[in-house]
Amino acid sequence: MTRIAVCAPATPITREHAEAAERLVADEFPEHTIFFHDQCFRSAGHFAGTDLQRLEALVELANNPDYDAVWFAKGGYGSNRIAEAAISRMNAAARAKTYVGFSDMGYLLAALYRNGIGQPVHGSMPVSARSERGREAVRRVLRWFSGDGSGLEPSLDGKTPAVAFNLITLAMITNTPLMPDLSGHIVMVEEVSEHDYSVDRLFFHLANTLPRIAGLRLGSVTDVPENDREFGQSVEAIAKFWCNRAGFPYLGRAEIGHTAANRIVPFGLASPSTAG
Amino acid sequence: MTRIAVCAPATPITREHAEAAERLVADEFPEHTIFFHDQCFRSAGHFAGTDLQRLEALVELANNPDYDAVWFAKGGYGSNRIAEAAISRMNAAARAKTYVGFSDMGYLLAALYRNGIGQPVHGSMPVSARSERGREAVRRVLRWFSGDGSGLEPSLDGKTPAVAFNLITLAMITNTPLMPDLSGHIVMVEEVSEHDYSVDRLFFHLANTLPRIAGLRLGSVTDVPENDREFGQSVEAIAKFWCNRAGFPYLGRAEIGHTAANRIVPFGLASPSTAG
C-alpha cells in the first residue's frame, strides 16, 4: 500500500476534484490511502493560498513519516515561488518519499532531484479524476504506486537516466538554484497553449543552456493557439533543428504531455514505485 | 546626416510600410537618407526570408561603410536564430555603426553590446510609420539621429549604464552566448501580450540569473490577455516582489514598451546620436 498525501503548491482544486479522486482510490485501489490537505482548496489571487500557506502545507506533508508519497493536486503556475524554501526545510522523512506531478510541478521535481530528495516522478495529477479520460491518467499513477509499471513511458530503458518537463518550465529553471545537473540524461519535454514561435524560442534557450545531455524526446504539444501566419515548421521539425544546432541526439517522441495519454517518468533511472 | 539602411532580421514588412517611412524621411528629415533592403519584404513561413537570407542582408548592411546606421524594420520573432552567426562576420564598418530596434531585436542588441560592436539602441522601428501615432515614435528616432535627445528615456543620467529589453527576450538570452554582462547596469524591461502569471514567471527567471545590476525599471506591460482568474497583484507589484527577492533596487517605471510613447535607450552610457 501507498499512503498518499496531496497538497497544491501552485493553483487550487475543488472539493469535487478531491472527492472524485478519493472515490477512485476507494473503489479501485483499496490498497492505497489518499489524504487531501485543506490547503488544496484555498485561494489567494492566482494561487492555492499565499506563498506561506502553500509552503507550509508542502513541508508538513513531506516531513510527515505517516505518508509514503506526496501527490501534487494540480499544476497551473506558482510552485517556483516556494520551491527553494521548501527544499531547505525538508527532513529525513521527506528524503524517503515519492513526489508525483508534472507541468508547473516541474520546478519542485527539479529542485528535489537536484538535492537528492526522494523520488521525483513526472505523472498525472488528482485534478484529472473528474473526467472519464482523465481518470485513466490518474489510474496509471495509482497502478504505478501498486508496483505495476505498465504506465511508464515506453522508451525508458532503466540504463540511461531520464527526466520529463514542461518546455517553458524547464527553460525558466535553467541556471537557477532549482536546476539539477542533466548531463547524460534523456530529457523529455512537452508543451501546452504556446505558439509555435514560442516553442522555437524556448528550444533556442535550452539549446544554448543545457549541458551535454544524452538526448531529447519530444512529448505532445497541444492547444497551440492560432497565429496570424503559419510558422512553416512542425514542432518536431523545430525540436530537430535545435537539437542539431546544440549537438543533442534527437531520439523521437515521448508519450508525455497535457493529455490523458500522459505516461509516467520517474526521474533518474526508471523503476517501479519504491513507495508501494 | 545619417545614412540609414533597413533590414528585417525577424519578420517582414510590406512595401507600404517602407514607403510610409521613406515619405516621412523625405518630407521631414531631408538631412537623412533611408534605404530598405529587399529582404525586408521576403517571406519564409514565420520569417522575413530564410535564416540565411536574413543573415546575409544583416551582414551586408552592417559591413557596408556607406551606411551610418542599421535600423531594424520590425520585431516579431526570429533574430535569435541568426544573431551569433551575424556577429562572427562583422567587420570594422559594422563596429562604427548605430543599430536601432527593440522587442525581438533585443537578441541582436544584446549580442552587439556583448561584443562591443557599434552602438546598440532600443528604439521604435520603421514598421510603425503607417499610423499617425506610430509615426511620432518613428520621428523620435529620426530626431535622435539628428542629434536631438528629446526622445531619450527621461531617467537616463549619462552616469549609470543602461539597457532596455522585452522581458521574455531578456529571459531567453540569459546564459546564452548572446548575453552581455549587465553587472552595474540599469535594466529596463517591457512586455506585451503575456499573462500576468507569465510576467511573474519571467521575473522569477531573471531574479535568479541576472548578475548584480544597478537596478530595474519597469516599462509598459500592454495587451495582457484575460485569464480564468485574477492574478491578484499588479505588474508593478510583481516587479517589486522579485526585485526584493533578488536584492535588485526597484527604481520605478520607464517610458518604454509596445506603445507610441516608446522612448529611446542607447545601450551603455546614454548620449545623443554619434551617427549624426
Side-chain angles (χ1 to χ4, degrees):
Chain A
M1 59 110 49
T2 301
R3 298 165 301 171
I4 305 165
V6 183
C7 63
T11 61
I13 57 170
T14 63
R15 302 262 174 202
E16 290 70 30
H17 288 116
E19 284 157 17
E22 285 166 343
R23 217 161 28 238
L24 182 65
V25 170
D27 290 352
E28 302 181 29
F29 298 88
E31 69 270 29
H32 303 318
T33 62
I34 189 164
F35 164 74
F36 283 82
H37 195 291
D38 271 348
Q39 175 269 323
C40 292
F41 317 115
R42 282 188 176 267
S43 175
H46 181 88
F47 305 109
T50 63
D51 288 352
L52 188 60
Q53 289 167 338
R54 302 195 316 283
L55 172 65
E56 293 291 342
L58 170 57
V59 172
E60 177 190 330
L61 298 186
N63 286 351
N64 186 336
D66 293 341
Y67 301 116
D68 305 304
V70 172
W71 200 0
F72 302 123
K74 188 187 174 186
Y77 169 70
S79 71
N80 58 329
R81 296 169 64 113
I82 62 169
E84 228 184 320
I87 292 295
S88 72
R89 290 175 51 191
M90 287 188 177
N91 68 10
R95 294 184 172 269
K97 268 190 186 58
T98 300
Y99 300 85
V100 185
F102 80 113
S103 192
D104 185 75
M105 295 303 113
Y107 296 104
L108 288 172
L109 300 179
L112 291 162
Y113 192 55
R114 173 189 173 119
N115 290 280
I117 298 175
Q119 174 62 63
V121 179
H122 164 102
S124 294
M125 296 180 285
V127 67
S128 297
R130 284 193 74 190
S131 76
E132 190 42 60
R133 285 168 57 81
R135 251 193 308 278
E136 192 47 33
V138 174
R139 282 189 191 101
R140 203 174 292 127
V141 174
L142 290 165
R143 286 193 204 108
W144 181 79
F145 278 132
S146 301
D148 170 356
S150 62
L152 290 166
E153 211 292 313
S155 69
L156 294 171
D157 66 3
K159 293 171 195 157
T160 316
V163 292
F165 283 104
N166 172 262
L167 183 60
I168 196 163
T169 303
L170 181 57
M172 293 295 101
I173 292 170
T174 58
N175 287 291
T176 72
L178 309 183
M179 184 69 179
D181 182 2
L182 298 184
S183 303
H185 283 65
I186 292 171
V187 177
M188 308 184 194
V189 290
E190 56 81 25
E191 193 48 278
V192 63
S193 303
E194 292 284 339
H195 286 100
D196 287 339
Y197 69 78
S198 173
V199 170
D200 195 76
R201 184 163 63 183
L202 293 164
F203 272 117
F204 156 79
H205 187 71
L206 292 183
N208 280 289
T209 53
L210 286 184
R212 197 166 290 269
I213 62 175
L216 185 132
R217 283 189 178 272
L218 181 65
S220 65
V221 179
T222 47
D223 292 338
V224 177
E226 284 271 339
N227 199 13
D228 54 1
R229 88 201 85 153
E230 290 291 315
F231 189 73
Q233 290 177 49
S234 68
V235 288
E236 190 167 20
I238 291 170
K240 286 179 181 172
F241 173 86
W242 288 107
C243 281
N244 280 339
R245 278 184 58 160
F248 301 156
Y250 177 73
L251 303 175
R253 304 303 298 249
E255 288 184 31
I256 61 161
H258 282 69
T259 74
N262 184 35
R263 299 292 198 105
I264 294 164
V265 181
F267 280 29
L269 291 171
S271 63
S273 167
T274 52
Chain B
M1 58 106 57
T2 301
R3 299 164 300 172
I4 304 164
V6 183
C7 63
T11 61
I13 57 170
T14 64
R15 301 263 174 202
E16 290 70 30
H17 288 115
E19 284 158 16
E22 285 166 344
R23 215 160 32 236
L24 182 65
V25 170
D27 291 352
E28 302 181 28
F29 299 88
E31 68 272 30
H32 303 319
T33 61
I34 189 164
F35 164 74
F36 281 82
H37 196 293
D38 271 347
Q39 176 267 322
C40 293
F41 317 115
R42 282 187 177 269
S43 175
H46 182 89
F47 306 109
T50 64
D51 288 354
L52 189 59
Q53 289 167 338
R54 303 196 317 283
L55 172 65
E56 293 291 342
L58 169 57
V59 172
E60 178 191 329
L61 298 185
N63 286 351
N64 186 337
D66 293 341
Y67 301 117
D68 305 304
V70 173
W71 200 0
F72 302 123
K74 188 186 175 186
Y77 169 71
S79 71
N80 58 329
R81 295 168 64 112
I82 63 168
E84 228 185 319
I87 292 295
S88 72
R89 290 174 54 190
M90 287 187 175
N91 68 11
R95 293 182 173 270
K97 268 190 186 59
T98 300
Y99 300 84
V100 184
F102 80 114
S103 192
D104 185 75
M105 295 303 113
Y107 296 104
L108 287 171
L109 300 178
L112 290 162
Y113 191 56
R114 173 189 172 118
N115 290 280
I117 298 176
Q119 173 63 62
V121 179
H122 165 101
S124 294
M125 297 181 283
V127 68
S128 297
R130 284 193 74 191
S131 77
E132 189 42 60
R133 285 168 57 80
R135 245 186 320 272
E136 192 48 32
V138 174
R139 281 189 191 101
R140 204 174 291 126
V141 173
L142 290 164
R143 285 191 204 108
W144 182 78
F145 277 133
S146 302
D148 172 354
S150 61
L152 289 167
E153 211 292 315
S155 69
L156 294 170
D157 66 3
K159 291 172 196 157
T160 315
V163 292
F165 283 103
N166 172 261
L167 182 60
I168 196 163
T169 302
L170 181 56
M172 293 293 102
I173 292 170
T174 57
N175 287 291
T176 73
L178 310 183
M179 184 70 180
D181 181 3
L182 298 183
S183 303
H185 284 64
I186 292 170
V187 177
M188 307 184 194
V189 290
E190 56 82 23
E191 192 49 277
V192 63
S193 303
E194 292 284 338
H195 286 99
D196 287 338
Y197 69 79
S198 173
V199 169
D200 195 74
R201 183 164 63 184
L202 294 164
F203 271 116
F204 157 79
H205 186 71
L206 293 182
N208 281 289
T209 54
L210 286 182
R212 195 166 291 268
I213 63 175
L216 185 133
R217 282 189 178 273
L218 181 65
S220 65
V221 178
T222 47
D223 291 337
V224 177
E226 284 271 338
N227 199 13
D228 53 0
R229 89 202 84 154
E230 290 291 314
F231 188 73
Q233 291 178 47
S234 69
V235 289
E236 191 168 21
I238 292 169
K240 286 178 181 172
F241 173 86
W242 288 106
C243 281
N244 281 340
R245 278 185 58 161
F248 301 156
Y250 177 74
L251 303 175
R253 304 303 298 249
E255 289 184 30
I256 61 161
H258 282 70
T259 74
N262 184 35
R263 299 290 197 108
I264 294 165
V265 181
F267 280 30
L269 291 171
S271 63
S273 168
T274 52

